[in-house]
Short mmCIF file of all heavy atoms in Angstrom, two decimals:
data_model
loop_
_atom_site.label_atom_id
_atom_site.label_comp_id
_atom_site.label_asym_id
_atom_site.label_seq_id
_atom_site.Cartn_x
_atom_site.Cartn_y
_atom_site.Cartn_z
N ALA F 1081 39.36 18.58 26.30
CA ALA F 1081 40.40 18.75 27.33
C ALA F 1081 41.30 17.52 27.31
O ALA F 1081 41.04 16.54 26.60
CB ALA F 1081 39.75 18.91 28.70
N CYS F 1082 42.35 17.58 28.10
CA CYS F 1082 43.29 16.45 28.23
C CYS F 1082 43.48 16.11 29.71
O CYS F 1082 43.34 16.99 30.58
CB CYS F 1082 44.66 16.83 27.68
SG CYS F 1082 44.65 17.32 25.97
N GLY F 1083 43.85 14.89 29.96
CA GLY F 1083 44.26 14.46 31.30
C GLY F 1083 43.20 14.75 32.36
O GLY F 1083 42.01 14.49 32.18
N THR F 1084 43.66 15.30 33.45
CA THR F 1084 42.75 15.61 34.55
C THR F 1084 41.64 16.56 34.12
O THR F 1084 40.49 16.44 34.56
CB THR F 1084 43.57 16.20 35.71
OG1 THR F 1084 44.35 15.14 36.27
CG2 THR F 1084 42.71 16.80 36.79
N SER F 1085 41.96 17.51 33.26
CA SER F 1085 40.94 18.46 32.80
C SER F 1085 39.85 17.73 32.03
O SER F 1085 38.67 18.12 32.05
CB SER F 1085 41.59 19.54 31.92
OG SER F 1085 42.58 20.20 32.64
N PHE F 1086 40.22 16.67 31.32
CA PHE F 1086 39.24 15.85 30.60
C PHE F 1086 38.29 15.20 31.61
O PHE F 1086 37.08 15.14 31.41
CB PHE F 1086 39.99 14.80 29.78
CG PHE F 1086 39.11 13.76 29.15
CD1 PHE F 1086 38.23 14.09 28.12
CD2 PHE F 1086 39.14 12.44 29.57
CE1 PHE F 1086 37.41 13.12 27.53
CE2 PHE F 1086 38.33 11.48 29.00
CZ PHE F 1086 37.46 11.81 27.97
N ILE F 1128 38.68 23.02 28.45
CA ILE F 1128 39.10 23.11 29.86
C ILE F 1128 40.60 22.91 29.92
O ILE F 1128 41.13 21.90 29.43
CB ILE F 1128 38.41 22.04 30.72
CG1 ILE F 1128 36.89 22.08 30.53
CG2 ILE F 1128 38.76 22.24 32.19
CD1 ILE F 1128 36.14 21.02 31.34
N SER F 1129 41.29 23.87 30.49
CA SER F 1129 42.75 23.74 30.60
C SER F 1129 43.25 24.59 31.76
O SER F 1129 43.02 25.79 31.79
CB SER F 1129 43.40 24.19 29.30
OG SER F 1129 44.80 24.17 29.43
N GLN F 1130 43.95 23.96 32.67
CA GLN F 1130 44.54 24.71 33.78
C GLN F 1130 45.54 25.72 33.23
O GLN F 1130 45.51 26.88 33.58
CB GLN F 1130 45.23 23.71 34.73
CG GLN F 1130 45.73 24.27 36.05
CD GLN F 1130 47.00 25.07 35.94
OE1 GLN F 1130 47.07 26.20 36.45
NE2 GLN F 1130 47.99 24.55 35.27
N SER F 1131 46.42 25.24 32.34
CA SER F 1131 47.51 26.09 31.85
C SER F 1131 47.07 27.05 30.76
O SER F 1131 47.67 28.11 30.59
CB SER F 1131 48.63 25.20 31.29
OG SER F 1131 48.13 24.47 30.19
N GLY F 1132 46.07 26.65 29.99
CA GLY F 1132 45.68 27.45 28.83
C GLY F 1132 46.66 27.33 27.68
O GLY F 1132 46.59 28.07 26.70
N GLU F 1133 47.59 26.39 27.78
CA GLU F 1133 48.63 26.27 26.75
C GLU F 1133 48.72 24.87 26.16
O GLU F 1133 49.54 24.65 25.27
CB GLU F 1133 50.01 26.63 27.34
CG GLU F 1133 50.15 28.04 27.87
CD GLU F 1133 50.11 29.11 26.79
OE1 GLU F 1133 50.16 28.76 25.60
OE2 GLU F 1133 49.99 30.30 27.15
N THR F 1134 47.96 23.93 26.66
CA THR F 1134 48.09 22.54 26.19
C THR F 1134 47.83 22.49 24.67
O THR F 1134 46.76 22.86 24.20
CB THR F 1134 47.07 21.65 26.95
OG1 THR F 1134 47.39 21.74 28.33
CG2 THR F 1134 47.15 20.21 26.50
N THR F 1137 44.72 20.73 23.13
CA THR F 1137 43.46 21.45 23.35
C THR F 1137 43.41 22.71 22.50
O THR F 1137 42.39 23.05 21.90
CB THR F 1137 43.29 21.78 24.85
OG1 THR F 1137 43.59 20.60 25.61
CG2 THR F 1137 41.89 22.24 25.17
N MET F 1162 44.87 30.09 25.27
CA MET F 1162 43.50 29.64 25.03
C MET F 1162 42.44 30.72 25.29
O MET F 1162 41.58 30.93 24.44
CB MET F 1162 43.20 28.40 25.85
CG MET F 1162 43.38 27.14 25.04
SD MET F 1162 43.06 25.72 26.05
CE MET F 1162 44.65 24.97 26.02
N VAL F 1180 53.15 19.07 39.36
CA VAL F 1180 52.80 18.57 38.02
C VAL F 1180 51.42 17.89 38.04
O VAL F 1180 50.65 17.98 37.10
CB VAL F 1180 53.90 17.62 37.50
CG1 VAL F 1180 53.41 16.78 36.33
CG2 VAL F 1180 55.12 18.45 37.07
N ALA F 1181 51.11 17.23 39.14
CA ALA F 1181 49.80 16.57 39.25
C ALA F 1181 48.74 17.62 39.59
O ALA F 1181 48.85 18.33 40.59
CB ALA F 1181 49.84 15.50 40.32
N SER F 1182 47.73 17.69 38.77
CA SER F 1182 46.70 18.70 38.99
C SER F 1182 45.78 18.31 40.15
O SER F 1182 45.34 17.17 40.25
CB SER F 1182 45.88 18.85 37.71
OG SER F 1182 44.95 19.87 37.87
N THR F 1183 45.51 19.26 41.04
CA THR F 1183 44.62 19.00 42.19
C THR F 1183 43.57 20.11 42.29
O THR F 1183 42.44 19.94 41.88
CB THR F 1183 45.45 18.94 43.49
OG1 THR F 1183 46.27 20.11 43.59
CG2 THR F 1183 46.29 17.69 43.55
N GLN F 1189 37.95 23.59 38.15
CA GLN F 1189 37.39 23.41 36.80
C GLN F 1189 35.96 22.89 36.88
O GLN F 1189 35.07 23.32 36.14
CB GLN F 1189 38.25 22.42 35.99
CG GLN F 1189 39.57 23.01 35.54
CD GLN F 1189 40.55 21.95 35.07
OE1 GLN F 1189 40.34 20.76 35.26
NE2 GLN F 1189 41.62 22.39 34.42
N GLU F 1263 40.24 9.68 37.78
CA GLU F 1263 41.20 10.67 38.30
C GLU F 1263 42.05 10.06 39.42
O GLU F 1263 43.25 10.30 39.50
CB GLU F 1263 40.43 11.91 38.79
CG GLU F 1263 41.25 12.97 39.50
CD GLU F 1263 42.34 13.62 38.65
OE1 GLU F 1263 42.49 13.29 37.45
OE2 GLU F 1263 43.07 14.45 39.20
N LEU F 1266 44.64 8.02 37.74
CA LEU F 1266 45.66 8.83 37.06
C LEU F 1266 46.65 9.40 38.08
O LEU F 1266 47.87 9.38 37.86
CB LEU F 1266 45.00 9.96 36.26
CG LEU F 1266 45.96 10.95 35.58
CD1 LEU F 1266 46.85 10.24 34.56
CD2 LEU F 1266 45.20 12.08 34.89
N LYS F 1267 46.14 9.89 39.19
CA LYS F 1267 47.03 10.47 40.22
C LYS F 1267 48.05 9.42 40.67
O LYS F 1267 49.23 9.72 40.81
CB LYS F 1267 46.24 10.95 41.45
CG LYS F 1267 45.39 12.19 41.24
CD LYS F 1267 46.16 13.50 41.21
CE LYS F 1267 46.54 13.91 39.83
NZ LYS F 1267 45.63 14.68 39.06
N GLU F 1270 50.68 8.61 37.83
CA GLU F 1270 51.68 9.62 37.51
C GLU F 1270 52.62 9.89 38.68
O GLU F 1270 53.76 10.29 38.46
CB GLU F 1270 51.07 10.90 36.94
CG GLU F 1270 50.23 11.71 37.87
CD GLU F 1270 49.64 12.95 37.18
OE1 GLU F 1270 50.20 13.47 36.21
OE2 GLU F 1270 48.59 13.42 37.66
N LEU F 1386 57.31 13.46 32.98
CA LEU F 1386 56.18 14.38 32.81
C LEU F 1386 56.62 15.84 32.82
O LEU F 1386 57.73 16.15 33.24
CB LEU F 1386 55.17 14.17 33.93
CG LEU F 1386 54.39 12.85 33.91
CD1 LEU F 1386 53.53 12.74 35.15
CD2 LEU F 1386 53.53 12.77 32.67
N ALA F 1387 55.73 16.69 32.39
CA ALA F 1387 55.92 18.13 32.53
C ALA F 1387 54.55 18.72 32.79
O ALA F 1387 53.54 18.14 32.41
CB ALA F 1387 56.51 18.73 31.27
N LYS F 1388 54.50 19.84 33.43
CA LYS F 1388 53.23 20.42 33.84
C LYS F 1388 52.37 20.82 32.65
O LYS F 1388 51.17 20.59 32.62
CB LYS F 1388 53.50 21.64 34.72
CG LYS F 1388 52.26 22.35 35.22
CD LYS F 1388 51.59 21.56 36.31
CE LYS F 1388 50.32 22.21 36.80
NZ LYS F 1388 49.46 21.21 37.45
N SER F 1389 53.02 21.44 31.71
CA SER F 1389 52.25 22.05 30.64
C SER F 1389 52.73 21.44 29.32
O SER F 1389 53.90 21.56 28.97
CB SER F 1389 52.51 23.55 30.71
OG SER F 1389 51.90 24.20 29.68
N VAL F 1390 51.81 20.76 28.62
CA VAL F 1390 52.24 19.97 27.45
C VAL F 1390 52.03 20.81 26.20
O VAL F 1390 50.97 20.76 25.57
CB VAL F 1390 51.48 18.63 27.40
CG1 VAL F 1390 52.01 17.77 26.27
CG2 VAL F 1390 51.62 17.90 28.73
O1 M6R J 336 46.92 22.52 31.57
P1 M6R J 336 45.89 21.50 31.20
O2 M6R J 336 44.77 21.46 32.14
O3 M6R J 336 45.43 21.64 29.78
O4 M6R J 336 46.65 20.11 31.30
C1 M6R J 336 46.02 18.92 30.92
C2 M6R J 336 46.82 17.71 31.36
O5 M6R J 336 48.08 17.71 30.78
C3 M6R J 336 46.97 17.64 32.89
O6 M6R J 336 45.73 17.65 33.53
C4 M6R J 336 47.72 16.36 33.29
O7 M6R J 336 46.95 15.24 33.00
C5 M6R J 336 48.11 16.39 34.76
N1 M6R J 336 49.47 15.96 34.92
C6 M6R J 336 47.27 15.50 35.61
O8 M6R J 336 47.63 15.54 36.95
#
Side-chain angles (χ1 to χ4, degrees):
C1082 301
T1084 289
S1085 302
F1086 172 69
I1128 308 179
S1129 175
Q1130 189 284 130
S1131 62
E1133 299 292 350
T1134 300
T1137 313
M1162 263 179 243
V1180 164
S1182 184
T1183 52
Q1189 286 166 348
E1263 173 63 1
L1266 176 61
K1267 289 284 93 88
E1270 67 181 334
L1386 291 174
K1388 180 74 182 158
S1389 176
V1390 186

